[in-house]
């Protein structure tokens, strides 16, 4: 049927996914096949698959493989992105970057390490990750300008305010 034709097409060229029906762009198997060709296909998929762990995992592995990083486990994916956060920011694309935050990379300790390395990543994080005290504190300690990005729910935390003032007395 149509699904078989589209599957053959996405296995040859990930861009074929953009011409698939909405239902096929929401099919995890179809999207996995496309992202195995190119992680860029994730941007063409339906938001319905953004929380599908297998799809996110396949896209992440493909992105890392394109950059010469071979990974086989979720822990290796996390470690690769932790040590090379520029791949997340510059390469993943907005949809995959957001999906990673809610699936494979949902641990605050991961994002604390990332923003400690590169505080400019903080502004790109999803609200729930930004609102984590550990992540917000790590960002503000590195760059007080991040204070303005800290969600109001945690901005009044004493430690975050002290860290911001220590770094920038004009706050």
């Amino acid at each position: 049927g149509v699904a078989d034709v589209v599957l053959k097409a996405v296995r040859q060229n990930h861009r074929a996914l953009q011409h698939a029906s909405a239902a096929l762009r929401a099919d995890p198997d179809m999207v996995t096949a496309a992202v195995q060709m190119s992680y860029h296909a994730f941007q063409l998929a339906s938001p319905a698959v953004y929380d599908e762990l297998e799809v996110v995992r396949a896209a992440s592995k493909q992105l890392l493989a394109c950059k010469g990083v071979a990974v086989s486990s979720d822990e290796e994916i996390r470690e690769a992105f932790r040590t090379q956060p520029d791949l997340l920011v510059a390469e993943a694309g907005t949809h995959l970057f957001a999906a990673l935050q809610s699936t494979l990379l949902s641990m605050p300790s991961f994002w604390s390490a990332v923003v400690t390395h590169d505080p400019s990543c903080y502004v790109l994080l999803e609200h729930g990750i930004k609102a984590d005290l550990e992540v917000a504190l790590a960002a503000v300690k590195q760059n007080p300008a991040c204070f303005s990005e800290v969600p109001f729910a945690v901005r009044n935390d004493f430690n975050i305010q002290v860290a911001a003032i220590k770094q920038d007395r004009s706050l």
Side-chain angles (χ1 to χ4, degrees):
V2 173
D4 293 330
V5 171
V6 174
L7 186 58
K8 278 185 181 177
V10 299
R11 285 187 173 150
Q12 292 178 9
N13 185 336
H14 74 277
R15 289 186 182 97
L17 187 62
Q18 70 187 348
H19 303 293
S21 69
L24 290 176
R25 285 185 283 114
D27 179 82
D29 294 330
M30 185 68 65
V31 177
T32 298
V35 299
Q36 286 173 336
M37 285 297 300
S38 173
Y39 65 92
H40 294 291
F42 197 87
Q43 298 294 110
L44 306 172
S46 165
V49 298
Y50 291 175
D51 288 332
E52 294 284 338
L53 185 57
E54 290 302 319
V55 175
V56 175
R57 183 181 290 127
S60 299
K61 285 181 176 181
Q62 211 281 331
L63 183 160
L64 291 165
C66 284
K67 303 303 175 186
V69 181
V71 294
S72 57
S73 69
D74 290 353
E75 189 53 43
E76 288 175 342
I77 292 170
R78 289 182 194 102
E79 182 62 16
F81 283 135
R82 187 189 63 73
T83 58
Q84 300 175 65
D86 54 306
L87 290 179
L88 280 170
V89 176
E91 298 292 333
T94 56
H95 301 310
L96 181 55
F97 186 76
L100 281 163
Q101 291 176 63
S102 64
T103 57
L104 286 173
L105 307 179
S106 62
M107 306 76 55
S109 59
F110 174 86
W111 292 106
S112 293
V114 168
V115 299
T116 297
H117 175 76
D118 182 0
S120 68
C121 295
Y122 186 74
V123 300
L124 304 172
L125 297 177
E126 297 294 308
H127 180 81
I129 302 261
K130 279 184 178 181
D132 182 88
L133 284 172
E134 178 186 356
V135 176
L137 186 57
V140 172
K141 280 183 175 179
Q142 294 301 312
N143 182 351
C146 291
F147 184 77
S148 65
E149 294 291 327
V150 174
F152 288 109
V154 292
R155 191 179 291 182
N156 290 331
D157 179 81
F158 178 77
N159 292 324
I160 290 175
Q161 290 182 354
V162 169
I165 291 168
K166 278 185 178 179
Q167 294 294 328
D168 184 351
R169 300 223 183 259
S170 69
L171 295 174

